Amino acid sequence: MKVIKVKNYQEVSEKAAYLIAAQIQLKPDCVLGLATGSSPIGTYDKLIEWYNQGILDFSAVKSVNLDEYVGLDGTHEQSYRYFMNTHLFDKVNIDKNNTYVPNGMADDLEQFGKDYDALIEQMGGIDLQLLGIGNNGHIGFNEPADCFVAGTHVATLKESTIKANKRFFASEADVPTKAITMGIKAIMQAKKIVLIANGSAKAEIIEKALAGEITPEIPASILKLHKDCTIIYCD
Ligand code: F6R
């Protein structure tokens, strides 16, 4: 594991973007595992900048997103599909048919989870997975729990997550209480993982995850078992 502590968010974003850009340049038809939230916005902005400069070509890139709120459809402004379209996909030449975000409106979410895992496998797995981290150590929406969950599944969001995410909604009551999230297996099977974080609360949980034992109580602690994981953060 490579742990890089940098000065500020701009550096976090730039370093993560370099790793993703290198991945696209080395394998133009790579599968990117993508995250939403405030952490990756700067990284996506950099990728868009390089695309506009003609340095990056997304035409053969495929993507799978980590998660989606249950009950929000892709046109809802706080859905993660909407986030991905507005923060990245609409601004580069990726083929939207090659971009996958879990469907939080699926009638049978359990079956959807199985199909999503099968899809990732059919794509040959994830070449590079970008992750953020929750203040409680969650990755995707794999929340602190008694055991790790392997497959894509419905997660009940912890109160701390709902409180952290209420900044994006009109009120706390509007934050969905459930999400569908990629499980630990697809994340850990990614060939490369890049986790980014910004701010003192995140720095604290990263340092705790790295220092302590591997435990589902701090889901990000499992990343210590990954062969090619880079953590880039600032406090
Ligand atoms: C989002 C995701 C979450 C976020 C995490 C941090 O797709 O998987 O794990 O990465 O909640 O969110 P921000 O970056 O908003 O602090």
Side-chain angles (χ1 to χ4, degrees):
M1 169 168 304
K2 219 182 264 171
V3 182
I4 309 172
K5 193 168 180 185
V6 296
K7 274 200 311 287
N8 53 37
Y9 178 63
Q10 197 189 330
E11 263 193 67
V12 169
S13 304
E14 201 171 79
K15 283 200 189 307
Y18 276 130
L19 292 174
I20 298 171
Q23 175 66 68
I24 297 170
Q25 284 165 331
L26 290 172
K27 186 179 176 192
D29 61 347
C30 62
V31 178
L32 297 180
L34 297 176
T36 61
S38 46
S39 306
I41 293 177
T43 304
Y44 295 153
D45 285 347
K46 268 278 152 212
L47 294 175
I48 293 163
E49 190 182 312
W50 294 334
Y51 164 73
N52 286 329
Q53 290 168 0
I55 297 168
L56 280 182
D57 175 12
F58 288 80
S59 60
V61 170
K62 288 165 264 168
S63 71
V64 280
N65 259 79
L66 281 166
D67 40 23
E68 179 60 281
Y69 288 117
V70 168
L72 299 195
D73 77 40
T75 60
H76 189 289
E77 285 189 15
Q78 294 311 329
S79 74
Y80 287 167
R81 162 54 76 180
Y82 187 89
F83 175 100
M84 289 311 303
N85 287 348
T86 51
H87 287 284
L88 184 65
F89 300 154
D90 287 341
K91 297 180 174 166
V92 296
N93 66 335
I94 198 164
D95 178 349
K96 282 237 193 94
N97 294 317
N98 289 333
T99 68
Y100 299 92
V101 179
N103 177 7
M105 298 293 286
D107 289 335
D108 184 344
L109 287 163
E110 200 179 315
Q111 185 57 46
F112 180 87
K114 288 184 186 145
D115 294 344
Y116 202 67
D117 288 333
L119 170 82
I120 295 170
E121 251 185 76
Q122 273 160 31
M123 292 166 106
I126 297 165
D127 289 300
L128 184 153
Q129 176 65 56
L130 180 66
L131 295 175
I133 183 171
N135 293 339
N136 63 10
H138 72 215
I139 48 176
F141 276 131
N142 291 276
E143 293 279 38
D146 294 340
C147 59
F148 290 109
V149 182
T152 297
H153 62 281
V154 173
T156 300
L157 302 185
K158 293 277 181 195
E159 209 184 315
S160 56
T161 300
I162 292 175
K163 285 205 184 316
N165 288 3
K166 73 173 187 219
R167 68 192 193 278
F168 300 113
F169 292 83
S171 76
E172 192 172 323
D174 293 321
V175 185
T177 55
K178 288 182 188 297
I180 178 156
T181 180
M182 212 185 263
I184 289 299
K185 187 173 171 192
I187 295 173
M188 287 299 285
Q189 283 183 340
K191 294 174 191 80
K192 191 182 270 295
I193 294 179
V194 178
L195 184 146
I196 52 174
N198 172 31
S200 53
K202 299 293 176 72
E204 213 173 285
I205 190 69
I206 286 175
E207 285 158 13
K208 202 167 157 195
L210 295 178
E213 58 176 8
I214 293 164
T215 165
E217 285 298 335
I218 307 177
S221 63
I222 201 168
L223 297 174
K224 284 195 282 192
L225 294 177
H226 197 275
K227 283 204 269 325
D228 187 353
C229 175
T230 304
I231 296 183
I232 309 166
Y233 74 110
C234 63
D235 56 16

